[in-house]
Amino acid sequence: SDGRSTLRFGDQVTGDYLLQRRNEVKNEAFIADHPGSKAAIVLWDMGTDCLFIAPTATRSEPETRKAMTEFIGTDEVRCFYSDNAAELKKAARNLEYCHPTSTPGCADTNGLAEGKVKLGKSGTRGQLIHSGFHKSWWPKAAVVYADNHTFTPSVRWPTDPKESPYERRRKEKFKGTMFALGQLVDFMTTPFPCNTPAPFAERMVPG
């Protein structure tokens, strides 16, 4: 368990930024409706496995502090660990968190936070693939993935009780309903003679 079984929410929280290259988003209408989708902060609590992803317009201290406050709520943070990013340092200082930092240039010293960023990226990608949505929907996909991660029961090591991160934090089961971002489905066309597929053609059409 690496000592995690004795940790309470807030004993050890990590954070790092996930970046989206703006030139990958070609849907101008979506950009106009979602002007704040340039980056996302990924926060993770070691004791409960709670994951939080908040899309932000910039990597600024106010937006970072707002996301951290939304994740923590009224709970206490006893240790917040991150790299030396200026916005993370300033936000932690303004929130009066104990804030040890990783060694600059040594990625291994910030492995947990970077690992959760990779998890957030892969989970967001999975939501987009299964939904069939354009990649410009990544901010909503990231939030849906993080929420479902937090509400889904899991076992972290062989003797760990099967509980959701939400239950470990709140001491009660999640009673809401979980939803996927969307569902890409295939359908079979009406078998008229004029549109009967060739012998080895796909019978199902993506919808």
Side-chain angles (χ1 to χ4, degrees):
S1 69
D2 300 328
R4 286 181 288 169
S5 60
T6 61
L7 295 178
R8 297 171 295 166
F9 181 84
D11 281 348
Q12 183 68 67
V13 179
T14 66
D16 203 352
Y17 261 92
L18 178 158
L19 297 178
Q20 161 74 8
R21 288 180 293 177
R22 195 65 163 179
N23 59 6
E24 289 184 353
V25 180
K26 305 300 183 182
N27 188 333
E28 298 300 329
F30 183 91
I31 294 175
D33 291 339
H34 301 78
S37 304
K38 293 182 180 179
I41 183 170
V42 180
L43 300 169
W44 177 68
D45 177 72
M46 182 183 293
T48 61
D49 197 31
C50 283
L51 183 69
F52 180 81
I53 302 178
T56 61
T58 62
R59 289 184 55 157
S60 66
E61 186 278 333
E63 292 202 69
T64 302
R65 176 160 39 92
K66 179 181 177 182
M68 293 166 70
T69 302
E70 184 178 348
F71 176 53
I72 299 303
T74 59
D75 290 315
E76 177 187 356
V77 172
R78 287 162 286 280
C79 181
F80 175 72
Y81 189 89
S82 73
D83 60 16
N84 285 272
E87 63 278 0
L88 293 172
K89 293 173 65 176
K90 290 179 181 178
R93 182 171 63 249
N94 289 335
L95 291 169
E96 299 182 346
Y97 293 166
C98 173
H99 184 218
T101 58
S102 60
T103 304
C106 297
D108 291 345
T109 61
N110 197 38
L112 283 175
E114 292 185 358
K116 297 310 169 184
V117 168
K118 291 180 180 178
L119 178 66
K121 286 183 177 179
S122 62
T124 300
R125 188 181 304 113
Q127 287 286 334
L128 292 172
I129 291 172
H130 287 291
S131 68
F133 287 0
H134 186 267
K135 58 191 174 185
S136 59
W137 283 84
W138 76 266
K140 292 190 179 295
V143 172
V144 169
Y145 171 73
D147 286 348
N148 284 347
H149 172 93
T150 297
F151 298 145
T152 302
S154 61
V155 175
R156 297 168 293 175
W157 53 82
T159 58
D160 186 38
K162 189 174 183 179
E163 298 176 337
S164 69
Y166 175 92
E167 184 177 356
R168 297 185 193 109
R169 177 180 179 179
R170 303 296 184 186
K171 308 306 179 187
E172 63 178 7
K173 294 184 180 296
F174 176 67
K175 299 177 182 178
T177 303
M178 291 190 297
F179 294 94
L181 178 68
Q183 291 291 338
L184 177 65
V185 298
D186 292 345
F187 65 94
M188 183 176 291
T189 58
T190 304
F192 294 124
C194 60
N195 64 8
T196 300
F200 303 109
E202 292 287 346
R203 289 318 194 244
M204 305 298 289
V205 178

